[in-house]
């Protein structure tokens, strides 16, 4: 069995990323309208608007994370919001989610970010416990979590 790897998404990954984004939206009762063209525009442009990371094993995509820019202008702090984290249902509990969080932390730190943030649905207790278990701290605003990446975060 090959080992799990994470990496930035490429053009060949986009159909799977779009399908997973649609599955995530459906899980939350939303109707996704994301297209391959839209994610290519946002993730593959120079410079990219978002960062999309994928997890794979044996050339099969198992999940993805999408990071969006955040800033706290008053403090001069950059951050990233892990806007999406999705793991294929049959891969949940196998370390894929944690690998994507670790890759997201590394990507945000490489971009000079001071923090990585994530939100959950108010009723998604398993996700909230997962993020807290990964070192995120609950914030005062809704089911939002934040992980400090540097001393100033």
């Amino acid at each position: 069995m090959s080992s799990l790897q994470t990496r930035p998404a490429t053009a060949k990954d986009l159909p799977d990323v779009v399908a997973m984004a649609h599955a995530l939206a459906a899980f939350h009762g939303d109707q996704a309208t994301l297209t391959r063209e839209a994610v290519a525009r946002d993730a593959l442009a120079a410079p990219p608007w978002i960062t999309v990371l994928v997890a794979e094993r044996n050339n099969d995509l198992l999940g993805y994370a999408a990071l969006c820019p955040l800033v706290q202008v008053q403090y001069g702090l950059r951050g990233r919001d892990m806007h999406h984290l999705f793991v294929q249902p049959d891969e949940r509990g196998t370390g894929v989610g944690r690998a994507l969080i670790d890759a997201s932390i590394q990507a945000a730190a490489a971009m000079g970010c001071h923090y990585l943030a994530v939100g959950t649905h108010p009723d998604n207790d398993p996700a909230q416990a997962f993020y807290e278990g990964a070192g995120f701290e609950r914030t005062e605003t809704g089911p939002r979590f934040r992980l400090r990446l540097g001393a100033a975060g």
Side-chain angles (χ1 to χ4, degrees), residues 73-97:
V73 174
Q74 69 276 29
Y75 304 121
L77 298 178
R78 287 181 174 185
R80 285 286 167 172
D81 180 62
M82 190 166 39
H83 187 66
H84 278 191
L85 177 66
F86 178 83
V87 175
Q88 294 286 8
D90 59 341
E91 292 292 333
R92 293 178 185 158
T94 66
V96 174

Side-chain angles (χ1 to χ4, degrees), residues 111-130:
M111 290 180 243
C113 294
H114 291 84
Y115 61 95
L116 181 64
V118 64
T120 69
H121 187 278
D123 298 330
N124 195 342
D125 295 331
Q128 293 172 33
F130 176 70

Side-chain angles (χ1 to χ4, degrees), residues 18-59:
V18 169
M20 288 186 280
H22 281 249
L24 181 60
F27 175 79
H28 290 292
D30 294 332
Q31 179 66 41
T33 59
L34 181 68
T35 63
R36 182 187 180 287
E37 293 76 22
V39 75
R41 174 199 66 209
D42 293 340
L44 303 179
W49 182 258
I50 64 172
T51 301
V52 176
L53 304 169
V54 296
E56 69 177 351
R57 186 183 302 118
N58 299 327
N59 295 318

Side-chain angles (χ1 to χ4, degrees), residues 4-31:
L4 178 66
Q5 298 178 344
T6 57
R7 59 174 174 75
T10 64
K12 75 175 182 62
D13 301 321
L14 298 187
D16 288 333
V17 169
V18 169
M20 288 186 280
H22 281 249
L24 181 60
F27 175 79
H28 290 292
D30 294 332
Q31 179 66 41

